[in-house]
Amino acid sequence: MNDAHLHLVVNHFPIIGTILGLGILITGILLKNNTVKSTAYVLFIVSAIFAAFSMGTGEGAEEMVEDMPSVGKQIIHEHEEMAEKLAIILYVLGTISLAGLYLNYKKHTKAQLVSYVALVVTIVAVFFAQQTGTTGGEVRHTEIRPNAVPAVGGEQNAATGEQGESEDND
């Protein structure tokens, strides 16, 4: 198993874990249930750990694909920049989550404040997770790039960009 394969295995959890954690945290806040909030905190901590693994395997994955046809270094660079921002936010969120777990356990009065801080940071993290996932997908999935042209049957008029119908004269 090479770094590109490892990267593909671990890179989805920081995104999915953060999104799931957001829903669970909102539920915990609405229900005023510290156990539910603690579940979200654990997801955020695990997401931060997987972000570290993703960052650790990203460089090796980049080396394997950067010279492939249809993979541009600019696309990889954009993904790398977004991933670095996401990782930093997830490390902060993981630290906040550790504090939240501790304060929930101690039934401290600041536990509720920490849950609101975690909520704000998580919303920012979900935004960057979406951006990171999209830019990562664009590395090998040309169909999701902003300038993608659909591959539909028929010929495309080079001047207008409109699809024409192929005629079978059989």
Side-chain angles (χ1 to χ4, degrees), residues 1-14 50 54 57:
M1 191 178 298
N2 58 38
D3 275 350
H5 189 200
L6 285 172
H7 188 68
L8 289 171
V9 168
V10 299
N11 71 5
H12 294 89
F13 195 86
F50 271 83
S54 294
T57 59

Side-chain angles (χ1 to χ4, degrees), residues 87-161:
I88 290 167
I89 293 166
L90 288 179
Y91 301 153
V92 169
L93 183 57
T95 304
I96 292 168
S97 296
L98 284 170
L101 280 173
Y102 177 77
L103 294 174
N104 279 348
Y105 177 75
K106 291 292 186 178
K107 298 184 186 345
H108 196 277
T109 57
K110 298 283 186 198
Q112 186 172 0
L113 174 64
V114 170
S115 67
Y116 288 117
V117 171
L119 177 64
V120 171
V121 174
T122 305
I123 291 168
V124 173
V126 166
F127 170 77
F128 280 101
Q130 184 275 324
Q131 296 294 311
T132 302
T134 298
T135 58
E138 289 172 353
V139 170
R140 294 289 291 159
H141 292 280
T142 58
E143 73 276 9
I144 67 169
R145 292 180 186 169
N147 59 352
V149 178
V152 185
E155 297 177 19
Q156 187 171 18
N157 182 329
T160 64

